[in-house]
Amino acid sequence: TGYKAGGFADKVDSCNYHLCAATGKPGEATFLPYGPETVTNYELGYKGRFLDNKLSLSVTAFYMRYKDMQLTGNYFVNQIIPDNHQPCPADQPKCDVYETWRTINVGDTRIPGLEIEWDYKPWHGARFGGGFALIDTSVHGFDNYSDDYQCGDVRAEFGVQPCPAVYNGTNKALLGRRLYDITGNHLPNTPKYQVNMNFAQDFDLAGGYKLTPYVKVNWRDKAYFDLRNSDWAHIGRYQAAYALVDASARLEAPEGKWFAEAYVRNAFDKRAKANGDALWGGFMQASYIEPRMFGIRAGLNY
């Protein structure tokens, strides 16, 4: 079991220095408290050696359940009376809603998964290793998610599903939000499948020297950058599945006195996003993983 304490954010006025709709009076100071987050993890694992200790295998199955997960974002604080005491115009449907950057507790999240790791030495000097991971996250009980991403002209221009209508019901905590059901959606930055494999081979050279070429492949499944799981073309917040290749060749002196290694990371210069979002007007911005990098390392033992 795990536990993350609740707490409170910066001090704010509960009605943002306006009159509160419920009382008609000015707001009071609040520290925007939020409750604790808990997680329970059920795990079953196995480790073993096979084939005369040439193969090491580790398998772990798990099921994690978060309750009252803490989520930070722009969320409801109170309903206020606009300064002009008039109903909100159509182009400003949230003029009487005070939202601010804060932490709230939401529903529960379930994370079943499986991890497999192996290390195999099929013949002298060879090593084949790798791993496989399945993480099938799903969100539940989050009934106040607001789908207000690029509403209006941008979605229409790219033929994307329109934003939901603005909520104006009796639940004050939902006022002004464009409610969208994200039940079953994946958590951000959690690809469902991941696979990595690596292979190295030692070559014994004359004079006691050793040369070791090495190659590694990492593959990641599609991952979203938001709880909405918006995978639309052009303005979608996601990264499609991709693979990275690293390689190196290491020369080692007798008795490990020194070594020299040439290496390359992201050998095929794959351009993959680490995160991404659209600015106003549908222009995308993103941070990318490290581009192709290569170099030489050397070391001396004394």
Side-chain angles (χ1 to χ4, degrees):
T1 58
Y3 171 85
K4 184 189 290 185
F8 51 89
D10 294 334
K11 182 180 178 181
V12 300
D13 183 89
S14 61
C15 290
N16 199 25
Y17 303 103
H18 293 76
L19 297 179
C20 300
T23 64
K25 299 179 181 180
E28 299 178 349
T30 177
F31 287 91
L32 300 177
Y34 55 94
E37 169 188 297
T38 61
V39 60
T40 302
N41 179 39
Y42 304 92
E43 187 170 306
L44 178 65
Y46 172 82
K47 292 183 179 182
R49 292 179 179 271
F50 306 90
L51 305 177
D52 295 328
N53 291 329
K54 292 181 180 179
L55 173 63
S56 297
L57 182 66
S58 173
V59 181
T60 303
F62 60 88
Y63 180 82
M64 303 176 69
R65 184 166 185 176
Y66 283 87
K67 290 185 178 181
D68 297 322
M69 177 175 281
Q70 295 171 3
L71 194 66
T72 301
N74 207 45
Y75 295 108
F76 176 87
V77 178
N78 223 328
Q79 186 178 16
I80 62 175
I81 299 176
D83 291 336
N84 59 10
H85 293 264
Q86 298 296 318
C88 293
D91 61 340
Q92 299 180 36
K94 299 172 67 174
C95 76
D96 61 349
V97 176
Y98 172 37
E99 295 181 333
T100 192
W101 193 258
R102 59 179 299 189
T103 298
I104 63 172
N105 299 95
V106 297
D108 66 277
T109 301
R110 303 162 193 177
I111 311 176
L114 175 69
E115 293 181 344
I116 302 174
E117 295 182 351
W118 68 86
D119 185 33
Y120 181 43
K121 301 175 182 178
W123 55 78
H124 176 70
R127 171 165 283 181
F128 174 52
F132 167 82
L134 162 65
I135 304 179
D136 192 14
T137 63
S138 59
V139 178
H140 298 267
F142 190 0
D143 58 1
N144 62 348
Y145 181 82
S146 183
D147 179 20
D148 50 12
Y149 174 62
Q150 295 296 323
C151 294
D153 295 340
V154 173
R155 286 202 182 188
E157 178 182 355
F158 291 108
V160 173
Q161 176 185 356
C163 291
V166 174
Y167 177 84
N168 195 28
T170 58
N171 188 340
K172 290 185 178 181
L174 303 180
L175 286 172
R177 304 189 74 78
R178 298 178 180 271
L179 301 180
Y180 180 79
D181 185 6
I182 61 170
T183 300
N185 280 18
H186 296 287
L187 290 175
N189 299 306
T190 53
K192 187 173 182 179
Y193 299 104
Q194 296 183 72
V195 179
N196 71 84
M197 293 184 289
N198 59 82
F199 180 78
Q201 174 67 60
D202 293 338
F203 293 96
D204 296 325
L205 306 179
Y209 290 90
K210 181 172 67 176
L211 178 65
T212 307
Y214 170 86
V215 62
K216 179 180 180 181
V217 179
N218 276 327
W219 180 85
R220 286 169 56 93
D221 199 4
K222 182 178 184 178
Y224 299 100
F225 303 137
D226 64 346
L227 286 169
R228 172 64 171 77
N229 290 184
S230 50
D231 56 357
W232 311 304
H234 307 298
I235 60 171
R237 293 181 287 188
Y238 72 97
Q239 170 58 49
Y242 68 94
L244 298 178
V245 177
D246 300 338
S248 67
R250 178 186 176 103
L251 178 64
E252 189 170 327
E255 300 180 358
K257 293 181 178 180
W258 58 264
F259 75 90
E261 181 181 33
Y263 68 90
V264 58
R265 295 195 297 267
N266 191 2
F268 296 99
D269 202 21
K270 178 65 180 180
R271 306 296 175 89
K273 296 188 290 288
N275 59 69
D277 205 345
L279 301 173
W280 184 253
F283 295 96
M284 293 296 296
Q285 66 175 2
S287 297
Y288 284 80
I289 63 172
E290 187 179 73
R292 179 169 53 218
M293 303 287 287
F294 55 88
I296 296 175
R297 303 186 187 94
L300 179 67
N301 293 321
Y302 58 92

